[in-house]
Amino acid sequence: MTAPASTLTVDLAARFPGIVSADSRPGHGGFLVAPEKLIEVASAIRDEFGYDLLSSVTGVDQIADGKMEVVYHAYKTTGGPALVFKTQAPRENPVVPSLVGVWMGAELQEREAWDLLGIKFENHPDLRRILMWEGFEGHPLRKDWHEPFFEEEAKPFKSRWPGGKHFFSEAKNPFHDNIQFPVGFDPEKYTFEDPEEALYTSLKKYQIADKDGIPTDHILVNMGPQHPSTHGVFRAAVMLDGETVVSLKPVMGYLHRNHEKIGERNTFLQNMPYTDRLDYFNSMSNNFGYALAVEKLMGIPVAERADYIRVIMAELSRIQNHLIWAGMMLNDLGAMYTPALYAFEERELILDIFEMTAGSRMMCNYFRFGGVVRDMSEDALRRTRDLVCDRLPAKVDEMDRLLTDNEVLVSRLKGMGYLSAEDAIRASMTGPMLRASGVPYDIRRADPYSVYDRFDFDVVSRPEGDMYARYIVRIEEMRQSLRILEQALKQIPEGPIMSGKPQYQVKVQAGEAYGRIESPKGELGYYVVSNGKPNPYRYHVRAPSFINLTALEMMCVGEKIADFVAILGAIDIVLGELDR
């Protein structure tokens, strides 16, 4: 069985009478806050009630009520369940106050809600599109927005059924083009009038007089989106004074495929393999978070043996993720391929276990609501024990011995990319990035899920807040994962791997749920709203790769441009998850 649900005792409605009310919609929880008092209430939630970490900001199109809703999930870094609060605005012209002044971590998330849903956040410092391109027409997550090849609101699409009526929707489009431009928009002639927009279009020199009155050239350099150091199609517009970074803007969206829109048209079960594609290093972890969210909505237990198998898969994922991170980090620092190849050798052995159990190595599609799709064989368990008890501890020690005191690694990481604990919390950082700033916040301990409360392990944190601390945290976390795995392999019970019968369609009652896990990169959360139909009404992914970039500029300012490569690498982003 999963760990018991956490309880919440805060009564915001009593603290703010007439301003805050309990959300009494069936299956919903939390509080509804009047938009004009949102900043006041949010400040009290942070300062008075102690919910210092704003985890997730989600926009929801409540088209039937003529409203746009923004849902906030806030947590205490000392542990405990979420405080969920929401605000609503008329759908025609939705305007709500920006919470960037309260939690800096809202910055990129509010931009996303504006981009995809058209919700305006008043006094946001930089409210521009973030995942769609500047000339994109409309806001694609609105329920009445239809793409050029739109067929139906939800799968299975009747036009794709066999039986003599099959056709390709694309063939009906007279222009044979899947892009629609706004009226009067010509991408060949369009020029950006706002210099802030122009900053992202090309390299440009700015001449700014410093305090001594001496003219100084500031050079704008675009790192990416086609650059090996950005780990994918990610771009950072970096302003330099000589070699020193003086400002930086992350630019993303090059890989955006509207994951959430497609997820709202899939059935609940069809989304399970879809989550695999978010972070292709961690498909097991991706399955885990989504399964937890939908199981909460369905109100079903998880078979105990399956809970142990889930933990085994998640911790194996964490080890191989951190191994690859260390190898590629050294690659970023110029060590070329040797550490990365050492890491990939161990990862392949872990993927062997995934293949034996799930049938595939990277896109595992292994979790099901109430359990897992198939049992671990005795051979897979034996190989896992061999890895966990013999090989991997020695390999982690070997990597530690070879790298930790390496002169190049120490000189490039120590004291670089500093982020204080206060700033890390303010920017909604999670995972190893937060723990390396001295905040021992790990969801497996702070708000336990599955059977993590049965295992003895330590939350690794370091006070330094630099890149070297981020390296040390990940090395130690691999050792803690091995501790968890040893216990899980000893304790795993016999029994069924599903709490119910396997089925191709599931019945999900109306309501909302947020499932989150401690993924290798940080908090991976899924906010799912159901209206009782076979498809999610709202499907939102809280991606750590995306939100952890909020503090990128803070870590880079004052450092050399050469160190930007290492600072970005230390965040450990995967663009499939970042852009969704």
Side-chain angles (χ1 to χ4, degrees), residues 29 32 60 94 114 163 169 176 178 186 195 211 223 264 283 411 432 436 506 513 525 530 533 557 566:
L32 291 170
V60 183
W114 154 249
S169 180
H176 300 283
N178 66 349
D186 185 342
K211 61 182 181 181
M223 297 287 288
E264 289 169 12
S283 70
S411 63
V506 294
S530 168
K533 294 184 177 178
V557 169

Side-chain angles (χ1 to χ4, degrees), residues 335-406:
M336 297 307 288
Y337 303 116
T338 304
L341 289 176
Y342 273 48
F344 268 100
E345 185 178 5
E346 305 313 309
R347 168 180 154 84
E348 289 301 310
L349 296 173
I350 290 174
L351 296 196
D352 286 346
I353 293 169
F354 291 170
E355 187 174 13
M356 291 174 72
T357 306
S360 55
R361 302 176 73 82
M362 287 185 70
M363 307 303 169
C364 294
N365 181 24
Y366 181 57
F367 287 36
R368 293 293 181 271
F369 307 130
V372 292
V373 69
R374 60 180 67 87
D375 205 348
M376 283 188 80
S377 66
E378 278 305 315
D379 191 23
L381 282 169
R382 179 185 58 76
R383 286 204 191 196
T384 308
R385 289 190 184 98
D386 289 345
L387 271 183
V388 168
C389 299
D390 296 327
R391 184 176 176 102
L392 285 176
K395 289 297 177 182
V396 173
D397 289 345
E398 183 182 24
M399 187 158 276
D400 187 3
R401 191 169 59 251
L402 290 173
L403 300 181
T404 302
D405 295 325
N406 179 281

Side-chain angles (χ1 to χ4, degrees), residues 220-510:
L220 185 65
V221 176
N222 278 295
M223 297 287 288
Q226 307 292 343
H227 192 286
S229 73
T230 56
H231 294 236
V233 280
F234 172 76
R235 172 182 165 207
V238 188
M239 190 173 285
L240 299 175
D241 182 354
E243 291 184 52
T244 305
V245 177
V246 293
S247 70
L248 180 149
K249 286 284 182 185
V251 187
M252 52 197 83
Y254 297 95
L255 199 61
H256 180 62
R257 58 202 184 281
N258 228 335
H259 177 99
E260 295 179 9
K261 185 79 170 183
I262 299 171
E264 289 169 12
R265 290 182 177 162
N266 286 338
T267 64
F268 284 95
L269 192 57
Q270 281 176 332
N271 273 341
M272 187 61 79
Y274 197 49
T275 64
D276 293 349
R277 275 74 179 167
L278 282 168
D279 176 359
Y280 38 81
F281 279 105
N282 294 297
S283 70
M284 290 289 192
S285 298
N286 299 346
N287 284 181
F288 206 163
Y290 179 63
L292 289 177
V294 178
E295 284 158 1
K296 279 185 186 177
L297 271 174
M298 296 173 70
I300 60 171
V302 178
E304 188 176 24
R305 181 177 174 85
D307 254 335
Y308 276 85
I309 293 174
R310 287 178 171 193
V311 168
I312 291 169
M313 295 300 161
E315 295 309 315
L316 286 172
S317 291
R318 193 182 316 278
I319 292 171
Q320 59 87 29
N321 180 88
H322 285 357
L323 279 170
I324 297 300
W325 175 86
M328 297 312 296
M329 185 72 197
L330 267 293
N331 203 26
D332 287 341
L333 296 180
M336 297 307 288
Y337 303 116
T338 304
L341 289 176
Y342 273 48
F344 268 100
E345 185 178 5
E346 305 313 309
R347 168 180 154 84
E348 289 301 310
L349 296 173
I350 290 174
L351 296 196
D352 286 346
I353 293 169
F354 291 170
E355 187 174 13
M356 291 174 72
T357 306
S360 55
R361 302 176 73 82
M362 287 185 70
M363 307 303 169
C364 294
N365 181 24
Y366 181 57
F367 287 36
R368 293 293 181 271
F369 307 130
V372 292
V373 69
R374 60 180 67 87
D375 205 348
M376 283 188 80
S377 66
E378 278 305 315
D379 191 23
L381 282 169
R382 179 185 58 76
R383 286 204 191 196
T384 308
R385 289 190 184 98
D386 289 345
L387 271 183
V388 168
C389 299
D390 296 327
R391 184 176 176 102
L392 285 176
K395 289 297 177 182
V396 173
D397 289 345
E398 183 182 24
M399 187 158 276
D400 187 3
R401 191 169 59 251
L402 290 173
L403 300 181
T404 302
D405 295 325
N406 179 281
E407 187 178 345
V408 173
L409 185 136
V410 172
S411 63
R412 292 292 305 277
L413 301 189
K414 249 186 181 173
M416 307 299 295
Y418 175 73
L419 189 65
S420 71
E422 294 76 16
D423 285 340
I425 295 170
R426 200 161 55 89
S428 299
M429 306 295 280
T430 53
M433 293 295 294
L434 179 62
R435 293 189 285 274
S437 288
V439 183
Y441 182 76
D442 187 316
I443 300 170
R444 295 172 295 177
R445 277 276 184 259
D447 190 16
Y449 55 94
S450 189
V451 288
Y452 275 107
D453 54 345
R454 300 181 185 180
F455 303 124
D456 181 28
F457 67 98
D458 298 324
V459 175
V460 181
S461 70
R462 298 278 296 194
E464 294 86 353
D466 61 3
M467 287 199 289
Y468 193 69
R470 290 163 204 151
Y471 164 80
I472 295 291
V473 163
R474 287 178 170 100
I475 292 290
E476 291 300 320
E477 283 191 356
M478 284 192 280
R479 295 195 169 104
Q480 296 304 320
S481 290
L482 288 170
R483 281 179 70 187
I484 294 171
L485 282 165
E486 278 188 37
Q487 296 167 69
L489 289 165
K490 283 179 184 172
Q491 297 175 20
I492 184 170
E494 295 295 334
I497 54 164
M498 285 285 289
S499 60
K501 292 181 180 177
Q503 48 192 334
Y504 293 103
Q505 183 62 282
V506 294
K507 190 171 183 179
V508 179
Q509 60 191 5

